[in-house]
Amino acid sequence: MSGHSKWHNIQAKKGKADAARGKLFTKIGRELAVAAKGNPNPSTNSKLADVIAKAKAANMPNDNIERSIKKAAGELGDKEFKELTYEGYGVGGAAVIITTLTDNNNRTASDVRAIMSKHGGSLGTTGSVSYMFETKGVIVVDKTMSEDEITELAIEAGADDVVTQDDAFEIYTTPAAFSEARKYLEEKGLEFLQAEISMIPQNRIVLPEEKLETFRKMLERLEENDDVQDVYHNVELPEEDEEE
């Protein structure tokens, strides 16, 4: 597997201002609350355990995590949140997949459509771009051991692949194997820099500078939207974007 993973985008998020970090925590908090609804015990709720791992990888404080889980029984009440995924195109034909968690389908669809349209993009139909991506479990860890050691652990955990980056190891699994692999590596004492199901583009495209600027603005507006959880795309972002 080659090319940049979503890890680079996570690094960028972590380096931004407190306001951006707070926004990220709010999104993960909603994800925690929804996952915990009906069963707030991560020992018997693998979905919740996965989201807790994602929260910890994003440096979300334990107090925030616990508070979000408690919301499942309180603040959410009878409010039903749905996971909806939108596919479409950004400027220059870029493929974009947007995952959302919403209690109002019409509001979310309208907001996403408006943001994309304003920045030269458009919503597509289901399946219009998802075939360009692979759904993978992604676990990223610091280089605290050798490549041979992490590869052996990854194989034992049931992972498919290990990719070595300059400052980290990226471990890839199938979506079905992700929970068990994450749990196994966690029990071995590994701390995660990223741990989540992600959509990895099979190929990336390069946009000219003017279109790239428009595309970046669209990404920012989408990520600022409360209902949007994640945005996946196939655009090659310059290194300076990833290091901000």
Side-chain angles (χ1 to χ4, degrees), residues 33-101:
V34 172
K37 193 170 185 181
N39 181 3
N41 184 355
S43 299
T44 55
N45 182 343
S46 61
K47 171 67 174 174
L48 176 58
D50 289 344
V51 182
I52 289 173
K54 177 180 178 179
K56 288 181 176 179
N59 292 330
M60 190 172 181
N62 286 332
D63 285 350
N64 292 40
I65 293 173
E66 290 171 11
R67 196 158 53 241
S68 296
I69 292 172
K70 286 177 182 176
K71 282 183 182 179
E75 283 187 29
L76 289 188
D78 294 329
K79 192 178 286 188
E80 288 293 333
F81 282 89
K82 290 184 179 179
E83 295 181 63
L84 297 174
T85 299
Y86 299 92
E87 300 181 36
Y89 302 90
V91 67
V96 182
I97 296 177
I98 303 146
T99 63
T100 66
L101 206 50

Side-chain angles (χ1 to χ4, degrees), residues 87-91 93-96 116 120-125 128-129 131-132 218:
E87 300 181 36
Y89 302 90
V91 67
V96 182
M116 295 187 75
S122 62
L123 276 181
T125 56
S128 57
V129 301
Y131 70 92
M132 303 180 195
M218 185 188 76

Side-chain angles (χ1 to χ4, degrees), residues 163-176:
V163 176
T164 302
Q165 299 289 357
D166 291 340
D167 55 354
F169 292 116
E170 297 170 355
I171 302 164
Y172 293 91
T173 75
T174 64

Side-chain angles (χ1 to χ4, degrees), residues 5-18 20-21 24 167 193-194 216 219-220 223 233 237-244:
S5 79
K6 191 164 175 273
W7 161 234
H8 299 283
N9 294 333
I10 295 294
Q11 280 182 308
K13 284 181 182 176
K14 286 183 178 176
K16 286 182 180 178
D18 287 345
R21 186 174 291 109
L24 178 61
D167 55 354
L193 300 173
Q194 180 188 352
R216 275 199 302 244
L219 288 183
E220 289 172 7
E223 289 173 354
H233 60 84
L237 295 178
E239 290 298 322
E240 58 266 27
D241 282 9
E242 295 160 5
E243 294 170 0
E244 281 178 359

Side-chain angles (χ1 to χ4, degrees), residues 97-178:
I97 296 177
I98 303 146
T99 63
T100 66
L101 206 50
T102 179
D103 62 337
N104 187 320
N105 301 1
N106 292 335
R107 178 193 66 221
T108 305
S110 177
D111 287 350
V112 169
R113 184 180 291 106
I115 292 169
M116 295 187 75
S117 178
K118 185 176 180 181
H119 296 89
S122 62
L123 276 181
T125 56
T126 300
S128 57
V129 301
S130 56
Y131 70 92
M132 303 180 195
F133 295 77
E134 288 183 282
T135 304
K136 294 279 187 181
V138 184
I139 299 169
V140 182
V141 299
D142 269 327
K143 282 188 173 179
T144 56
M145 57 181 70
S146 70
E147 186 172 350
D148 286 344
E149 288 172 324
I150 194 68
T151 299
E152 184 176 346
L153 274 179
I155 291 171
E156 291 171 359
D160 289 340
D161 196 12
V162 176
V163 176
T164 302
Q165 299 289 357
D166 291 340
D167 55 354
F169 292 116
E170 297 170 355
I171 302 164
Y172 293 91
T173 75
T174 64
F178 173 73

Side-chain angles (χ1 to χ4, degrees), residues 188-239:
K188 292 296 181 180
L190 271 64
E191 293 186 4
F192 307 140
L193 300 173
Q194 180 188 352
E196 62 185 295
I197 303 293
S198 187
M199 302 200 72
I200 312 296
Q202 295 176 12
N203 296 289
R204 289 191 178 267
I205 65 171
V206 177
L207 294 177
E209 189 172 341
E210 184 179 323
K211 289 185 177 180
L212 181 61
E213 182 62 27
T214 300
F215 186 77
R216 275 199 302 244
K217 287 179 180 176
M218 185 188 76
L219 288 183
E220 289 172 7
R221 297 297 174 270
L222 286 170
E223 289 173 354
E224 286 170 1
N225 186 280
D226 289 340
D227 296 335
V228 172
Q229 291 298 112
D230 286 293
V231 183
Y232 305 102
H233 60 84
N234 67 343
V235 174
E236 189 71 57
L237 295 178
E239 290 298 322

